[in-house]
Amino acid sequence: MSKSIFITGTATDVGKTFVTGLIVKKLHDSGINAGYYKAALSGAEKINGRLIPVDAKYVCDVAGIKEKPENLVSYIYQTAVSPHLAAQIEKNPIDINKIIQDFNRLKSNYEYITVEGSGGIVCPLRIDDKIIMLTDVIKILNLDVILVVSSLLGTINSTVLTVEYAKKLNISVKAIIMNYFDKDNFMHLDNKKQIEKFTGIPVIATVSHNESNLDVDITKLKQLYKEI
Ligand SMILES: Nc1ncnc2c1ncn2[C@@H]1O[C@H](COP(=O)(O)OP(=O)(O)OP(=O)(O)O)[C@@H](O)[C@H]1O
Ligand SMILES: [Mg+2]
């Protein structure tokens, strides 16, 4: 039996990988067989002729997972643009069946799989004769979502918009994690209050600059994962 959750963010670079690293580390440190998966990664680094999926490598390193990062990402593109565009440039279109197969393979290897999205919630993965959006992956894998958001000015707007968009597609956002949070900043504290008020979704953790531990109860964290 495996459990899983999908991590998305209000934008690219908001800290999905950073926060996912802390989540997977928390699970791994408590003795859980924790894994990571990402359907499509663009902006991979070429090292000694090998394309390295940087997000997967980062999470494995931080959490102490002994796995080749290449095994945790279905599509690895070097071009640092949206996956649909990288796929067109590199002539390697995304096939949803490969994503399902790879995810199923990981299900037999890991107990708790944390799946990271690409970009924000509106992220095209394929646009040609077929259209595949990131939200199609969330729905096909039947996952709920943890939303990583910023704590800075503008976050009320981007958080509420993302939650409303998810709702429109019947995607369930279970929890919010605020990144770059400063407990002494009155605006960050107010942003947390307003985000909870306007979305009705709990902020389960705040993550400060260079945080090394996710301050959340492990039982509560595990409860967010859905059996798949
Ligand atoms: N709390 C933090 N403290 C220090 N650095 C951070 C923090 N959050 C994010 N970063 C850094 O900011 C950069 C962007 O973060 P990250 O890679 O996690 O974003 P992302 O949402 O996963 O982006 P992508 O859409 O490319 O997957 C990285 O260099 C990361 O190490
Ligand atoms: Mg990332």
Side-chain angles (χ1 to χ4, degrees), residues 92-162:
N92 182 16
I94 284 171
D95 177 352
I96 198 77
N97 291 316
K98 176 172 167 53
I99 290 174
I100 296 168
Q101 274 167 21
D102 286 351
F103 187 65
N104 283 339
R105 172 175 49 80
L106 291 179
K107 267 163 48 177
S108 48
N109 294 349
Y110 294 101
E111 208 185 342
Y112 279 71
I113 306 170
T114 309
V115 181
E116 183 188 342
S118 315
I121 199 162
V122 184
C123 179
L125 300 182
R126 176 170 178 166
I127 303 182
D128 46 29
D129 54 323
K130 287 200 179 89
I131 293 186
I132 305 174
M133 301 296 288
L134 182 75
T135 44
D136 295 323
V137 173
I138 300 175
K139 296 199 78 139
I140 280 173
L141 301 183
N142 190 26
L143 300 176
D144 295 333
V145 164
I146 293 176
L147 177 61
V148 176
V149 311
S150 164
S151 304
L152 312 183
L153 188 62
T155 190
I156 298 173
N157 177 60
S158 52
T159 303
V160 174
L161 287 176
T162 301

Coordinates of all heavy atoms in Angstrom, one line a residue, residues 92-162:
N92 N 10.7 15.5 -27.7 CA 10.4 14.4 -26.8 C 9.1 14.7 -26.1 O 9.1 15.1 -24.9 CB 11.6 14.3 -25.8 CG 11.4 13.1 -24.9 OD1 10.6 12.2 -25.1 ND2 12.2 13.1 -23.8
P93 N 8.0 14.5 -26.8 CA 6.7 14.8 -26.2 C 6.3 13.9 -25.1 O 6.7 12.7 -25.0 CB 5.7 14.6 -27.4 CG 6.4 13.7 -28.4 CD 7.9 13.9 -28.2
I94 N 5.6 14.5 -24.2 CA 5.1 13.8 -23.0 C 4.0 12.8 -23.3 O 3.0 13.2 -23.9 CB 4.8 14.8 -21.9 CG1 6.1 15.3 -21.3 CG2 3.9 14.2 -20.8 CD1 5.9 16.5 -20.3
D95 N 4.1 11.6 -22.8 CA 3.1 10.6 -23.0 C 2.5 10.3 -21.6 O 3.3 9.9 -20.7 CB 3.7 9.3 -23.6 CG 2.7 8.2 -23.7 OD1 1.6 8.3 -23.2 OD2 3.1 7.1 -24.3
I96 N 1.3 10.5 -21.4 CA 0.7 10.4 -20.1 C 0.8 8.9 -19.5 O 0.9 8.7 -18.3 CB -0.8 10.9 -20.1 CG1 -1.3 11.2 -18.6 CG2 -1.7 9.9 -20.8 CD1 -0.8 12.4 -18.0
N97 N 0.8 8.0 -20.5 CA 0.9 6.6 -20.0 C 2.3 6.3 -19.4 O 2.4 5.5 -18.5 CB 0.7 5.6 -21.2 CG -0.7 5.7 -21.7 OD1 -1.6 5.7 -20.8 ND2 -1.0 5.8 -23.0
K98 N 3.3 6.9 -19.9 CA 4.6 6.7 -19.3 C 4.6 7.3 -17.8 O 5.2 6.7 -16.9 CB 5.7 7.4 -20.1 CG 7.1 7.4 -19.4 CD 8.2 7.9 -20.3 CE 9.5 8.1 -19.5 NZ 10.0 6.9 -18.7
I99 N 3.9 8.4 -17.7 CA 3.8 9.0 -16.3 C 3.1 8.1 -15.4 O 3.6 7.8 -14.3 CB 3.1 10.4 -16.4 CG1 4.1 11.4 -17.1 CG2 2.7 10.9 -15.0 CD1 3.5 12.8 -17.4
I100 N 2.0 7.5 -15.9 CA 1.3 6.5 -15.0 C 2.1 5.3 -14.7 O 2.2 4.9 -13.5 CB 0.0 6.1 -15.7 CG1 -1.0 7.3 -15.9 CG2 -0.8 5.0 -15.0 CD1 -2.1 7.1 -16.8
Q101 N 2.8 4.8 -15.7 CA 3.7 3.6 -15.5 C 4.8 3.9 -14.5 O 5.1 3.1 -13.6 CB 4.3 3.2 -16.8 CG 3.5 2.3 -17.7 CD 4.1 2.2 -19.1 OE1 5.2 2.4 -19.4 NE2 3.2 1.8 -20.1
D102 N 5.5 5.0 -14.7 CA 6.6 5.3 -13.8 C 6.1 5.5 -12.3 O 6.7 5.1 -11.4 CB 7.3 6.6 -14.2 CG 8.1 6.4 -15.5 OD1 8.3 5.3 -15.9 OD2 8.6 7.4 -16.1
F103 N 5.0 6.2 -12.2 CA 4.4 6.4 -10.9 C 4.0 5.1 -10.2 O 4.3 4.8 -9.1 CB 3.2 7.3 -11.0 CG 2.6 7.8 -9.7 CD1 3.4 8.5 -8.8 CD2 1.3 7.4 -9.3 CE1 2.9 9.0 -7.6 CE2 0.8 7.8 -8.0 CZ 1.6 8.6 -7.2
N104 N 3.4 4.2 -11.0 CA 3.1 2.8 -10.5 C 4.3 2.1 -10.1 O 4.3 1.3 -9.1 CB 2.3 2.0 -11.6 CG 0.8 2.5 -11.6 OD1 0.3 3.1 -10.7 ND2 0.2 2.3 -12.7
R105 N 5.4 2.2 -10.8 CA 6.6 1.5 -10.5 C 7.1 2.0 -9.1 O 7.5 1.3 -8.2 CB 7.7 1.8 -11.6 CG 9.1 1.3 -11.2 CD 10.1 1.4 -12.4 NE 10.0 2.8 -13.0 CZ 10.7 3.8 -12.5 NH1 11.4 3.7 -11.4 NH2 10.6 5.0 -13.1
L106 N 7.1 3.4 -8.9 CA 7.5 3.9 -7.6 C 6.6 3.5 -6.5 O 7.1 3.3 -5.4 CB 7.6 5.4 -7.7 CG 8.7 6.0 -8.6 CD1 8.6 7.5 -8.7 CD2 10.0 5.5 -8.2
K107 N 5.3 3.3 -6.8 CA 4.4 2.8 -5.8 C 4.8 1.5 -5.2 O 4.6 1.2 -4.0 CB 3.0 2.7 -6.4 CG 2.2 4.0 -6.2 CD 0.9 4.1 -7.0 CE 0.0 3.0 -7.2 NZ -1.2 3.5 -8.0
S108 N 5.4 0.7 -6.0 CA 5.8 -0.6 -5.4 C 7.2 -0.5 -4.7 O 7.6 -1.4 -4.0 CB 5.9 -1.7 -6.5 OG 6.6 -1.3 -7.6
N109 N 7.8 0.6 -4.8 CA 9.1 0.8 -4.1 C 9.0 1.7 -2.8 O 9.9 1.6 -2.0 CB 10.2 1.5 -5.0 CG 10.5 0.6 -6.2 OD1 10.2 -0.6 -6.2 ND2 11.2 1.1 -7.1
Y110 N 8.0 2.5 -2.8 CA 8.0 3.5 -1.7 C 6.6 3.5 -1.0 O 5.6 3.4 -1.7 CB 8.3 4.9 -2.2 CG 9.7 5.1 -2.6 CD1 10.1 5.0 -4.0 CD2 10.8 5.2 -1.7 CE1 11.4 5.1 -4.4 CE2 12.1 5.3 -2.1 CZ 12.4 5.3 -3.5 OH 13.7 5.3 -3.9
E111 N 6.6 3.8 0.3 CA 5.4 3.8 1.1 C 4.7 5.2 1.0 O 3.5 5.3 0.9 CB 5.9 3.6 2.5 CG 4.9 3.0 3.5 CD 5.5 3.0 4.9 OE1 6.7 3.1 5.1 OE2 4.7 2.8 5.8
Y112 N 5.5 6.3 1.1 CA 4.9 7.7 1.0 C 5.6 8.4 -0.2 O 6.8 8.6 -0.1 CB 5.1 8.4 2.3 CG 4.1 8.1 3.4 CD1 4.1 6.9 4.0 CD2 3.1 9.0 3.7 CE1 3.2 6.6 5.0 CE2 2.2 8.7 4.7 CZ 2.2 7.5 5.3 OH 1.3 7.2 6.2
I113 N 4.9 8.7 -1.2 CA 5.5 9.4 -2.4 C 5.0 10.8 -2.4 O 3.8 11.1 -2.5 CB 5.1 8.7 -3.7 CG1 5.5 7.2 -3.6 CG2 5.8 9.3 -4.9 CD1 4.9 6.3 -4.8
T114 N 6.0 11.7 -2.4 CA 5.7 13.1 -2.5 C 6.0 13.6 -4.0 O 7.1 13.4 -4.4 CB 6.6 14.0 -1.5 OG1 6.4 13.4 -0.2 CG2 6.1 15.4 -1.5
V115 N 4.9 14.0 -4.6 CA 5.1 14.3 -6.1 C 5.2 15.8 -6.2 O 4.3 16.6 -5.7 CB 3.8 13.8 -6.8 CG1 3.9 14.1 -8.3 CG2 3.6 12.3 -6.6
E116 N 6.2 16.3 -6.9 CA 6.4 17.7 -7.1 C 5.9 18.1 -8.5 O 6.2 17.4 -9.5 CB 7.8 18.1 -6.9 CG 8.0 19.7 -7.1 CD 9.4 20.2 -7.1 OE1 10.4 19.4 -6.7 OE2 9.6 21.3 -7.6
G117 N 5.1 19.2 -8.6 CA 4.7 19.7 -9.9 C 5.8 20.5 -10.6 O 6.9 20.6 -10.1
S118 N 5.5 21.0 -11.8 CA 6.4 21.9 -12.5 C 5.7 23.2 -12.5 O 4.5 23.3 -12.7 CB 6.6 21.4 -13.9 OG 6.8 20.0 -13.9
G119 N 6.5 24.3 -12.2 CA 5.9 25.7 -12.3 C 4.8 25.9 -11.3 O 4.9 25.4 -10.1
G120 N 3.8 26.6 -11.7 CA 2.6 26.8 -10.8 C 1.5 25.8 -11.2 O 1.8 24.8 -11.8
I121 N 0.3 26.1 -10.8 CA -0.8 25.1 -11.1 C -1.2 25.1 -12.6 O -1.6 24.1 -13.1 CB -2.0 25.3 -10.2 CG1 -2.8 24.0 -10.2 CG2 -2.9 26.5 -10.6 CD1 -3.8 23.8 -9.1
V122 N -1.0 26.2 -13.3 CA -1.3 26.3 -14.7 C 0.0 26.1 -15.5 O 0.7 27.0 -15.7 CB -2.0 27.6 -15.2 CG1 -2.4 27.5 -16.6 CG2 -3.2 27.9 -14.3
C123 N 0.3 24.8 -15.8 CA 1.5 24.5 -16.5 C 1.3 23.5 -17.6 O 1.0 22.3 -17.3 CB 2.5 24.0 -15.4 SG 4.1 23.5 -16.2
P124 N 1.4 24.0 -18.8 CA 1.3 23.0 -20.0 C 2.4 22.1 -20.1 O 3.6 22.5 -20.0 CB 1.2 23.9 -21.2 CG 1.4 25.3 -20.7 CD 1.8 25.3 -19.3
L125 N 2.1 20.8 -20.2 CA 3.1 19.8 -20.4 C 3.3 19.4 -21.9 O 4.3 19.0 -22.3 CB 2.8 18.5 -19.6 CG 2.7 18.7 -18.1 CD1 2.5 17.4 -17.3 CD2 4.0 19.4 -17.5
R126 N 2.1 19.5 -22.6 CA 2.2 19.1 -24.0 C 1.1 19.9 -24.8 O 0.0 19.9 -24.4 CB 1.9 17.6 -24.2 CG 1.8 17.2 -25.6 CD 1.8 15.7 -25.8 NE 1.7 15.3 -27.2 CZ 1.9 14.1 -27.6 NH1 2.3 13.1 -26.8 NH2 1.8 13.8 -28.9
I127 N 1.6 20.6 -25.8 CA 0.6 21.3 -26.7 C 1.0 21.0 -28.1 O 1.9 21.7 -28.7 CB 0.6 22.8 -26.4 CG1 0.3 23.1 -24.9 CG2 -0.4 23.5 -27.2 CD1 0.3 24.6 -24.5
D128 N 0.3 20.0 -28.7 CA 0.4 19.8 -30.2 C -0.9 19.2 -30.6 O -2.0 19.9 -30.3 CB 1.6 18.9 -30.5 CG 1.7 17.7 -29.6 OD1 0.7 17.2 -29.1 OD2 2.9 17.2 -29.4
D129 N -1.0 18.1 -31.2 CA -2.3 17.5 -31.5 C -3.0 17.1 -30.2 O -4.2 16.9 -30.2 CB -2.1 16.3 -32.5 CG -1.1 15.3 -32.0 OD1 -0.1 15.7 -31.4 OD2 -1.4 14.1 -32.1
K130 N -2.2 16.9 -29.1 CA -2.7 16.6 -27.8 C -2.4 17.7 -26.9 O -1.4 18.4 -27.0 CB -2.1 15.3 -27.2 CG -2.4 14.0 -27.8 CD -2.1 12.9 -26.9 CE -2.5 11.5 -27.4 NZ -1.4 10.9 -28.2
I131 N -3.3 17.9 -25.9 CA -3.0 18.9 -24.9 C -3.0 18.2 -23.5 O -4.0 17.5 -23.1 CB -4.1 20.1 -24.9 CG1 -3.9 20.9 -26.2 CG2 -3.9 21.0 -23.6 CD1 -4.8 22.1 -26.2
I132 N -1.9 18.3 -22.8 CA -1.7 17.8 -21.5 C -1.3 18.9 -20.6 O -0.3 19.6 -20.8 CB -0.7 16.6 -21.4 CG1 -1.0 15.5 -22.4 CG2 -0.7 16.0 -20.0 CD1 0.0 14.4 -22.5
M133 N -2.1 19.1 -19.5 CA -1.8 20.1 -18.5 C -1.3 19.4 -17.2 O -1.7 18.3 -17.0 CB -3.0 21.0 -18.2 CG -3.6 21.7 -19.4 SD -2.5 22.9 -20.1 CE -2.5 24.2 -18.9
L134 N -0.6 20.1 -16.4 CA -0.1 19.6 -15.1 C -1.3 19.1 -14.3 O -1.3 18.1 -13.6 CB 0.6 20.6 -14.3 CG 1.2 20.2 -13.0 CD1 2.4 19.3 -13.2 CD2 1.6 21.4 -12.1
T135 N -2.4 19.8 -14.4 CA -3.6 19.4 -13.6 C -4.2 18.1 -14.1 O -4.8 17.4 -13.3 CB -4.7 20.5 -13.7 OG1 -4.8 21.0 -15.1 CG2 -4.4 21.7 -12.8
D136 N -3.9 17.7 -15.4 CA -4.4 16.4 -15.8 C -3.6 15.3 -15.1 O -4.1 14.3 -14.8 CB -4.1 16.3 -17.4 CG -5.0 17.2 -18.2 OD1 -6.1 17.4 -17.8 OD2 -4.5 17.8 -19.2
V137 N -2.3 15.6 -14.8 CA -1.5 14.6 -14.1 C -2.0 14.5 -12.7 O -2.2 13.4 -12.2 CB 0.0 15.0 -14.1 CG1 0.8 14.2 -13.2 CG2 0.6 15.0 -15.5
I138 N -2.3 15.6 -12.0 CA -2.9 15.6 -10.6 C -4.1 14.7 -10.6 O -4.3 13.9 -9.7 CB -3.2 17.0 -10.1 CG1 -1.9 17.9 -10.1 CG2 -3.8 16.9 -8.7 CD1 -2.2 19.3 -9.7
K139 N -5.0 14.9 -11.6 CA -6.3 14.2 -11.7 C -6.1 12.7 -12.0 O -6.7 11.8 -11.4 CB -7.2 14.9 -12.6 CG -7.5 16.3 -12.1 CD -8.8 16.9 -12.7 CE -10.0 16.3 -12.1 NZ -11.0 17.3 -11.8
I140 N -5.2 12.4 -13.0 CA -5.1 11.0 -13.4 C -4.4 10.2 -12.3 O -4.8 9.0 -12.1 CB -4.3 11.0 -14.7 CG1 -5.2 11.3 -15.9 CG2 -3.6 9.6 -14.9 CD1 -4.6 11.4 -17.2
L141 N -3.5 10.8 -11.6 CA -2.8 10.1 -10.5 C -3.7 10.1 -9.2 O -3.4 9.5 -8.2 CB -1.5 10.7 -10.2 CG -0.4 10.6 -11.3 CD1 0.9 11.2 -10.8 CD2 -0.3 9.2 -11.9
N142 N -4.8 10.9 -9.3 CA -5.8 10.9 -8.2 C -5.3 11.5 -6.9 O -5.5 10.9 -5.9 CB -6.5 9.5 -8.0 CG -7.7 9.6 -7.1 OD1 -8.3 10.6 -7.0 ND2 -7.9 8.5 -6.4
L143 N -4.6 12.6 -7.0 CA -3.9 13.1 -5.8 C -4.5 14.4 -5.3 O -5.1 15.2 -6.0 CB -2.4 13.5 -6.2 CG -1.6 12.3 -6.7 CD1 -0.2 12.7 -7.1 CD2 -1.5 11.2 -5.6
D144 N -4.4 14.6 -4.0 CA -4.7 15.9 -3.3 C -3.4 16.7 -3.3 O -2.3 16.2 -3.6 CB -5.2 15.7 -1.9 CG -6.5 14.9 -1.8 OD1 -7.3 15.0 -2.8 OD2 -6.7 14.2 -0.8
V145 N -3.6 18.0 -2.9 CA -2.5 18.9 -3.1 C -2.1 19.6 -1.8 O -2.9 19.9 -0.9 CB -2.9 20.0 -4.1 CG1 -2.0 21.2 -4.1 CG2 -3.0 19.4 -5.5
I146 N -0.8 19.8 -1.6 CA -0.2 20.8 -0.7 C 0.3 22.0 -1.5 O 1.0 21.8 -2.5 CB 0.9 20.2 0.2 CG1 0.5 19.1 1.1 CG2 1.6 21.4 1.0 CD1 1.6 18.5 1.9
L147 N -0.1 23.2 -1.1 CA 0.3 24.4 -1.9 C 1.4 25.1 -1.2 O 1.2 25.5 0.0 CB -1.0 25.2 -2.1 CG -0.8 26.6 -2.8 CD1 -0.3 26.4 -4.2 CD2 -2.1 27.3 -2.8
V148 N 2.5 25.3 -1.9 CA 3.6 26.1 -1.3 C 3.5 27.5 -1.8 O 3.3 27.7 -3.0 CB 5.0 25.5 -1.7 CG1 6.1 26.4 -1.3 CG2 5.1 24.1 -1.2
V149 N 3.5 28.5 -0.9 CA 3.3 29.9 -1.3 C 4.4 30.7 -0.7 O 5.0 30.3 0.3 CB 1.9 30.4 -0.8 CG1 0.8 29.4 -1.2 CG2 1.8 30.6 0.7
S150 N 4.5 31.9 -1.2 CA 5.4 32.9 -0.6 C 4.8 33.5 0.7 O 3.6 33.5 0.8 CB 5.8 33.9 -1.6 OG 6.4 35.0 -1.1
S151 N 5.6 34.2 1.5 CA 5.1 35.0 2.6 C 5.2 36.5 2.3 O 4.7 37.3 3.1 CB 6.0 34.7 3.8 OG 6.0 33.3 4.1
L152 N 5.7 36.8 1.1 CA 5.9 38.2 0.8 C 4.7 38.9 0.2 O 3.7 38.3 0.0 CB 7.1 38.3 -0.2 CG 8.3 37.4 0.1 CD1 9.4 37.7 -1.0 CD2 8.9 37.7 1.5
L153 N 4.9 40.2 0.0 CA 3.8 41.0 -0.5 C 3.2 40.4 -1.8 O 4.0 40.0 -2.7 CB 4.3 42.4 -0.8 CG 3.3 43.5 -1.2 CD1 2.3 43.7 0.0 CD2 4.0 44.8 -1.5
G154 N 1.9 40.3 -2.0 CA 1.3 39.7 -3.2 C 0.9 38.3 -3.0 O 0.2 37.7 -3.9
T155 N 1.2 37.7 -1.8 CA 0.9 36.3 -1.7 C -0.6 36.0 -1.5 O -1.1 34.9 -1.8 CB 1.8 35.6 -0.6 OG1 1.6 34.2 -0.6 CG2 1.4 36.1 0.8
I156 N -1.3 37.0 -0.9 CA -2.7 36.7 -0.7 C -3.4 36.5 -2.1 O -4.1 35.6 -2.3 CB -3.4 37.9 0.1 CG1 -2.8 38.1 1.5 CG2 -4.9 37.7 0.2 CD1 -3.3 39.3 2.2
N157 N -3.1 37.4 -3.0 CA -3.6 37.3 -4.3 C -3.2 36.0 -5.0 O -4.1 35.3 -5.5 CB -3.1 38.5 -5.2 CG -3.5 38.5 -6.6 OD1 -4.7 38.5 -6.9 ND2 -2.6 38.4 -7.5
S158 N -2.0 35.7 -5.1 CA -1.5 34.5 -5.8 C -2.0 33.2 -5.2 O -2.4 32.2 -5.8 CB 0.0 34.4 -6.1 OG 0.6 34.6 -4.9
T159 N -2.1 33.2 -3.8 CA -2.6 32.0 -3.1 C -4.1 31.8 -3.4 O -4.5 30.7 -3.7 CB -2.3 32.1 -1.6 OG1 -0.9 32.3 -1.4 CG2 -2.7 30.9 -0.9
V160 N -4.9 32.9 -3.2 CA -6.3 32.7 -3.4 C -6.6 32.3 -4.9 O -7.5 31.5 -5.1 CB -7.1 34.0 -3.0 CG1 -8.6 33.9 -3.3 CG2 -6.9 34.3 -1.5
L161 N -5.9 32.9 -5.8 CA -6.2 32.6 -7.2 C -5.9 31.1 -7.5 O -6.6 30.4 -8.2 CB -5.3 33.5 -8.1 CG -5.8 34.9 -8.3 CD1 -4.8 35.7 -9.2 CD2 -7.1 35.0 -8.9
T162 N -4.8 30.6 -6.9 CA -4.4 29.2 -7.1 C -5.4 28.3 -6.5 O -5.8 27.3 -7.1 CB -3.0 28.9 -6.6 OG1 -2.1 29.8 -7.2 CG2 -2.6 27.5 -6.8

